[in-house]
Amino acid sequence: MQNVKMISVSLDTDRLKWIKAIQNENMEWDNVIENGEFEGKVVKTYGVKAIPSIFLIDHKGIII
């Protein structure tokens, strides 16, 4: 697929545990951590109610 990018957003509260998981699972795509857990901006913007959640988002940030 062209023009597709995978991004993982973690709700972990332990940054070191999160980094170790990325390394152990060989997650070679972009990974970010949402420090606000379920109150964070990303979670609220996309209406995340549970994890894992999967979304297909266009280049404008709109859920397809």
Side-chain angles (χ1 to χ4, degrees):
M1 245 193 240
Q2 290 182 337
N3 300 320
V4 174
K5 184 172 186 175
M6 188 163 138
I7 301 172
S8 294
V9 179
S10 174
L11 301 181
D12 286 313
T13 56
D14 184 330
R15 183 174 171 76
L16 294 177
K17 184 178 174 184
W18 168 67
I19 292 169
K20 188 173 182 177
I22 291 168
Q23 294 168 343
N24 288 342
E25 299 296 325
N26 295 320
M27 293 188 247
E28 297 178 359
W29 53 89
D30 291 338
N31 289 272
V32 296
I33 192 165
E34 173 66 89
N35 292 326
E37 296 180 325
F38 280 98
E39 296 301 316
K41 183 177 180 180
V42 173
V43 171
K44 288 185 175 189
T45 298
Y46 291 103
V48 176
K49 303 289 186 216
I51 51 174
S53 293
I54 299 172
F55 302 94
L56 184 58
I57 303 170
D58 72 11
H59 67 281
K60 294 179 183 177
I62 298 170
I63 298 175
I64 300 172

